[in-house]
Amino acid sequence: MPTPVAVAVSDYCRRAKAAASPTEVREALALLSEEDDFRVRTLTDTEPEVSPLGPFGVVDILRGTPPPLAAQRQACGYYEVAQELARVREEKTPAPAPVAPQVPSFAPPPPRPAPAESAAAEPAGKGKAARQPAESVQDRIAPRKRTGPALEAEEPTETDSSRFLKRDLPKPRGRYTQVAAPKGSYQTLVRTEGKDILEPALSQNEHRFALLKSLAEHYNGAKGELSLVDLESVLRSHELMDRLTAKERQALLSAYTDQKGAAGRVAWALGLSPSELQRLTATLGMQAEVEELRERFRRDVLGARHLTQRLDTLGRDKYLADLGIKKRFTDALRRELEGLVQEELSGANDLPGLALAVARKHGAPQELVLRALDRLGMAGKLREQLAAHSHHSSP
């Protein structure tokens, strides 16, 4: 794929909030033919309709995938998994055995035996005179002809032929050789022109860990790989640290609000590991603010007024465990349901009927009531009580 097309795709992915390395762009464009150049430029010359969208998402759209579906695949890591599976399959495929070329032999052929009938018919005294004429020099240097049985033994089978035709050749990588570009010096970021490099990168990444990952692909650190300490030092020297901190604080508060206080979901939304999220929260000094947000959502969960909300929340085990209120919530809901079912126990014949009576009285779905009774370990005891009640009430 020509370099202008690759540059256009890289810029398009940056605008679609999924910046990609040149190697990844080349690998994606290698899947397209030269006739697709104009289609690529037609797409990249417009503003992205959806985001995020990487180079493999662009190729997916050009092959007919709707843009929202391609953006969803990019967000959930579908293309990274597909790339990794392709690499694993390529590594596990054994290399085919080399096929020995059939080189003609120039060795002199063995002497031809005299026919049996001629040897039996010739007189004993004339054996020497009746010998075949000696082979000429031209016959000796001529390529040796194989006999029938030998030719059949050397003839390749269908399996060998098919294996030769289906060899795993190296996958095409485009028209240009891909060589990883050498990383820039750390001093490039420290000097004055480094600010022009850091400002666009700062606007494209939400937090310092994403910024570090982006810059580490192109620049070295003070002592080897670019580290977080090196990055923070450079940002302070260019007076960009306050801007990054304000952006991180806003992103962190918005994520905790959107995910209703679930730290695990916040880490996933920001592309961080749990340890990185804790480190970022501590670095920004936001432990108290985050804990206040989480406490607000804990109160909302525990103080839900409608029974349907509490029954629905019971099925969100990971969310309750993340907030640290799973046991408190389940104990409170169990006590509440015990009181509700006792009110309706005398008029019910079986467990579904009991759940239906409770659901109708409190405006909740019967399925949620049944599921809650089963999850809280109340179903078995209630069945025994219902069976005993029906036995005593029967004539």
Side-chain angles (χ1 to χ4, degrees), residues 226-246:
L226 186 66
S227 65
L228 191 60
V229 176
D230 297 332
L231 178 61
E232 292 174 350
S233 175
V234 171
L235 291 173
R236 290 191 187 94
S237 65
H238 293 297
E239 299 180 351
L240 296 174
M241 196 63 185
D242 293 340
R243 187 191 307 180
L244 176 62
T245 302

Side-chain angles (χ1 to χ4, degrees), residues 121-138:
E122 66 178 358
K126 296 184 178 180
K128 189 174 181 179
R131 289 179 182 174
Q132 294 292 334
E135 292 180 343
S136 63
V137 176
Q138 186 67 25

Side-chain angles (χ1 to χ4, degrees), residues 84-133:
E84 187 63 25
L85 290 176
R87 293 193 187 99
V88 172
R89 184 180 302 175
E90 183 178 357
E91 292 174 358
K92 289 186 176 181
T93 304
V99 180
Q102 296 182 359
V103 182
S105 174
F106 293 95
R112 299 177 181 176
E117 297 180 356
S118 301
E122 66 178 358
K126 296 184 178 180
K128 189 174 181 179
R131 289 179 182 174
Q132 294 292 334

Side-chain angles (χ1 to χ4, degrees), residues 331-362:
D331 291 345
L333 185 58
R334 184 182 293 108
R335 289 192 298 268
E336 180 183 4
L337 284 178
E338 287 175 352
L340 296 179
V341 297
Q342 289 299 325
E343 296 175 0
E344 309 294 334
L345 189 61
S346 59
N349 297 322
D350 54 8
L351 189 61
L354 178 61
L356 181 60
V358 174
R360 284 179 175 177
K361 184 174 181 179
H362 298 277

